[in-house]
Amino acid sequence: MSARVLVALLLTGRLLSAQEIRLDDYLRQVRARHPVARQAQLIVDVAEAEVRGAGGAFEPSLSASWDSKTFGGKSYYDELGVKLSVPTALGVDFKLGYDRAAGANLNPESALPKNGLWSAGVSIPIGQRMLTDERRTAVEVARAGRVNAEGERTASLNKLTLTAAKDWALWYETERRATLGREGVTLAEFRLGAVRSRVRNGDAAGIDTVEALLEVERRTVTRLEADAAAYSARLAAGLHLWDEAGRAAELVPGQRPAPSAPQLQFTDSAQIDRWIALADRSHPDLIKLSAKVRQSEAQRTFAMQALLPAIALDLSSIGGSANEAVGASSRDFKGGASAKLAPLLVKDRAKFSQASAKLERDRLEFERVRRETTNAIRDAARTLAALGAQVARQESAVDYARQLRDGEQQRFDAGESSLLLVNLRERTLLDEQGKLAALEAKRHAAEAALAVAVGIFPLAAR
């Protein structure tokens, strides 16, 4: 095998065989199985339980009471009452009741038909608690809390994603440098053997052997450094992997990060505007703050209705047996009203002012974070665009360096150049390839950073 063929095979990676893992597959596994992802889901589960708990305030309630007295063989009184109350989200409560009373010493007000008395009616708030009340406010706050929990979950996942993407990118760079280091040593050792053969045949000076040995030692030191860095980066990347049972997993021996084409392409400023619009709807920080605004609005509405007079009407249609003396009319009813108002409303006005200030604070915080999010998207997009241009230029630099090395190799094979110049050309090529690996790693990390800035992963399909 000639030196030229060996170089081509090594630098195209055809002599290497290992299982590869793509960045998108790696991140999907991290987001699905990492403990942080499971903990984030528990936040949502707790919020769901709080919504169900708040909705329990509208659960129908059934109550019953029985009071009886018998003394000396005489029944003084025997009273039974059963009530069913059905609250609604409109603040109106429907009520159904049955009362029965008997005995020699009943209070005249408690006199009822022999078969008892049925009642059906409503309780209607007027003024205070008409727009909202404690129950409806609690449900609204809990629902907004669930949205906030979803935002918390997404924010935790996005933070985890960005950290994992950066670790994968560092692993990719160091693994690529380690591969280049091994290739460089292999090439240097191959040339050392070739030089020794030429020296034995009298076609080269003995000093060329020293030059070849020096290059082997220099590249071996570089390879050892690159291997150590790749090992550390591999450990860091593997720390993010867990299996479906929640147990710590590891990278498969021989597994390495796979080169992959860019997932995101920056085209024009209109694309940035689309990403900003997408972030307005989907960024977890904005979702959380929007939920906080909803909670504050609900609390402010509840505080505002406390400034109104508290008036409640209770109306019930009642009826018993038609042939009883009591309750014979079909138009019989039972009703009541209550009203309450604090003349100065000092406490209620203070609560309303406090709720209004909190709402304004949350709205200002939303606008501040929205502006920071917009700026982060613009910065991440421009960074990605710059890295894309750098990668393209660096690929050209690698190609030019390879041409120079190949040309110098041809001159050396023809006896028109020296081993020193060949080594210098090849050293330049290895350096340029290392720079390309670093830029590709930065571009992968920048793609993840842009997706996190927008608030959605993966962003490539958006």
Side-chain angles (χ1 to χ4, degrees):
M1 183 184 294
S2 68
R4 193 178 308 162
V5 174
L6 178 64
V7 169
L9 289 174
L10 284 171
L11 296 181
T12 56
R14 287 172 56 190
L15 294 185
L16 299 175
S17 177
Q19 183 179 358
E20 296 183 335
I21 179 171
R22 294 170 53 87
L23 175 60
D24 52 351
D25 295 331
Y26 170 80
L27 292 180
R28 270 193 291 270
Q29 183 175 346
V30 171
R31 290 173 66 93
R33 301 176 181 175
H34 197 280
V36 170
R38 299 175 182 234
Q39 291 170 337
Q41 182 57 46
L42 292 176
I43 296 175
V44 178
D45 294 343
V46 170
E48 288 282 0
E50 290 178 352
V51 171
R52 292 194 299 270
F58 294 95
E59 184 179 1
S61 63
L62 179 65
S63 63
S65 64
W66 175 61
D67 195 11
S68 177
K69 179 180 179 181
T70 301
F71 182 73
K74 178 181 179 182
S75 175
Y76 280 69
Y77 55 84
D78 186 1
E79 297 178 324
L80 172 67
V82 180
K83 293 182 175 59
L84 174 65
S85 178
V86 182
T88 68
L90 299 176
V92 177
D93 291 357
F94 293 95
K95 299 180 178 181
L96 179 65
Y98 172 75
D99 294 284
R100 181 179 61 79
N105 292 77
L106 278 177
N107 189 318
E109 293 180 353
S110 302
L112 295 174
K114 180 179 179 181
N115 294 327
L117 188 69
W118 290 92
S119 64
V122 294
S123 177
I124 305 174
I126 298 177
Q128 191 177 122
R129 288 181 170 77
M130 182 172 64
L131 297 177
T132 187
D133 54 27
E134 292 88 343
R135 298 174 301 183
R136 284 178 281 175
T137 300
V139 170
E140 182 63 23
V141 169
R143 287 173 177 170
R146 179 176 56 191
V147 175
N148 181 76
E150 289 284 357
E152 286 281 0
R153 174 182 176 274
T154 304
S156 296
L157 285 176
N158 285 351
K159 183 178 179 180
L160 172 65
T161 299
L162 184 56
T163 301
K166 289 180 177 179
D167 287 342
W168 185 95
L170 180 60
W171 179 37
Y172 174 84
E173 177 187 349
T174 55
E175 190 70 35
R176 182 61 183 142
R177 288 186 181 275
T179 300
L180 292 172
R182 291 189 290 272
E183 293 172 355
V185 171
T186 301
L187 290 170
E189 290 175 342
F190 178 82
R191 287 203 179 93
L192 174 61
V195 167
R196 283 173 171 167
S197 177
R198 295 182 65 178
V199 170
R200 284 194 300 267
N201 295 332
D203 297 331
I207 194 66
D208 285 351
T209 304
V210 179
E211 169 66 28
L213 283 169
L214 174 61
E215 192 65 21
V216 170
E217 295 301 322
R218 179 186 290 114
R219 295 189 185 183
T220 299
V221 171
T222 301
R223 177 186 65 80
L224 292 173
E225 292 176 346
D227 285 344
Y231 180 78
S232 298
R234 178 185 178 86
L235 288 179
L239 283 175
H240 299 292
L241 298 179
W242 300 76
D243 63 17
E244 294 180 353
R247 296 170 300 199
E250 295 181 356
L251 290 167
V252 177
Q255 196 170 32
R256 65 178 185 176
S260 57
Q263 299 296 308
L264 296 174
Q265 295 289 346
F266 174 79
T267 55
D268 51 32
S269 58
Q271 189 176 40
I272 295 181
D273 293 336
R274 290 193 294 271
W275 284 334
I276 292 174
L278 186 59
D280 285 342
R281 302 189 303 269
S282 306
H283 196 283
D285 289 343
L286 297 180
I287 289 175
K288 291 190 296 181
L289 288 172
S290 177
K292 288 183 66 177
V293 169
R294 282 180 53 190
Q295 290 177 327
S296 296
E297 287 174 342
Q299 292 165 348
R300 182 180 182 273
T301 301
F302 179 69
M304 179 181 65
Q305 59 88 39
L307 301 176
L308 302 174
I311 303 174
L313 295 180
D314 285 285
L315 298 174
S316 298
S317 174
I318 57 177
S321 177
N323 53 10
E324 295 284 348
V326 181
S329 173
S330 61
R331 292 178 295 176
D332 291 338
F333 73 95
K334 180 172 61 175
S338 63
K340 179 181 178 182
L341 176 65
L344 299 181
L345 299 174
V346 175
K347 180 180 178 180
D348 295 327
R349 285 189 289 114
K351 288 185 176 181
F352 177 72
S353 298
Q354 183 182 24
S356 298
K358 184 176 183 295
L359 175 59
E360 183 64 19
R361 182 194 66 188
D362 292 341
R363 284 174 174 170
L364 291 173
E365 180 70 7
F366 177 86
E367 293 300 327
R368 182 188 68 80
V369 173
R370 183 179 184 276
R371 183 175 182 181
E372 290 180 354
T373 300
T374 299
N375 186 68
I377 292 173
R378 295 185 185 279
D379 182 58
R382 293 295 179 182
T383 299
L384 182 61
L387 285 170
Q390 287 177 275
V391 168
R393 293 285 185 178
Q394 190 61 31
E395 288 173 342
S396 297
V398 169
D399 185 58
Y400 295 145
R402 182 179 290 108
Q403 292 180 37
L404 288 173
R405 192 281 317 278
D406 291 346
E408 204 65 49
Q409 181 70 49
Q410 291 177 359
R411 294 183 61 209
F412 177 75
D413 293 341
E416 300 175 356
S417 181
S418 66
L419 182 60
L420 173 62
L421 289 177
V422 174
N423 286 335
L424 288 175
R425 294 298 189 190
E426 194 164 78
R427 208 178 299 161
T428 299
L429 173 58
L430 292 172
D431 288 343
E432 297 300 329
Q433 288 176 314
K435 291 178 183 178
L436 177 59
L439 288 172
E440 289 174 337
K442 289 181 179 179
R443 183 180 62 187
H444 286 309
E447 289 179 349
L450 177 58
V452 171
V454 177
I456 291 181
F457 176 86
L459 185 58
R462 304 284 175 162

